[in-house]
Amino acid sequence: MTHDNLSDMLTRIRNANAVGMQTVSFPTTRINRQIAHLLETEGFIDSFRDYPAGSLMLQLKYKGKKPSLTSLRRISKPGRQVYVNHKDVPKVLGGMGIAILSTSQGIVTDRVARSRRLGGEILCYIW
């Protein structure tokens, strides 16, 4: 049986947003660290910190009492991967959200994938 670390990360963030927590913590993996960096770069979270004990902590961002992350949706799952070429990279909410892709050049957002003409596996949608 495999454990889906990315789904676990997205669920923990979703649950923390639902109850208004300021921080959320989960185990560190390479993919989780790269996605946390993308979330910080895109302005969905305030910051993240990687602790030596193997945990990653995100500082969530709120606008008043509303969270910046309103929805996180896992697209590719362990039993069903979804791949696209560079022409079919989706725009999430007409460009208001982001799609995170795993490409041959690393984990990137949909905008970067389109500009570099990269296709790959769609990991999740965030808006």
Side-chain angles (χ1 to χ4, degrees):
M1 184 167 126
T2 61
H3 184 72
D4 189 8
N5 289 318
L6 180 56
S7 289
D8 182 48
M9 173 187 174
L10 296 177
T11 300
R12 287 183 189 211
I13 294 171
R14 194 179 305 116
N15 290 341
N17 271 337
V19 296
M21 292 177 65
Q22 294 297 318
T23 61
V24 62
S25 177
F26 41 84
T28 300
T29 63
R30 182 178 51 86
I31 292 175
N32 287 354
R33 189 179 311 115
Q34 290 174 344
I35 290 178
H37 178 70
L38 287 176
L39 290 176
E40 182 182 32
T41 304
E42 293 290 324
F44 286 108
I45 62 172
D46 279 334
S47 63
F48 75 96
R49 214 173 146 163
D50 195 3
Y51 289 101
S55 67
L56 190 66
M57 183 171 288
L58 299 182
Q59 182 75 31
L60 300 176
K61 189 176 194 178
Y62 291 91
K63 297 172 187 166
K65 290 190 177 192
K66 297 182 103 179
S68 292
L69 286 168
T70 56
S71 184
L72 299 105
R73 185 169 163 220
R74 180 83 156 111
I75 302 302
S76 285
K77 298 175 182 170
R80 180 178 176 260
Q81 285 84 23
V82 178
Y83 295 95
V84 294
N85 64 19
H86 71 279
K87 297 175 190 170
D88 299 329
V89 173
K91 284 189 177 182
V92 179
L93 289 179
M96 296 296 291
I98 61 170
I100 296 180
L101 286 86
S102 176
T103 67
S104 60
Q105 294 183 11
I107 295 178
V108 297
T109 63
D110 56 342
R111 292 180 199 104
V112 173
R114 272 194 292 286
S115 68
R116 293 184 189 170
R117 298 176 55 91
L118 293 171
E121 181 183 359
I122 302 175
L123 297 177
C124 60
Y125 293 156
I126 297 174
W127 65 89

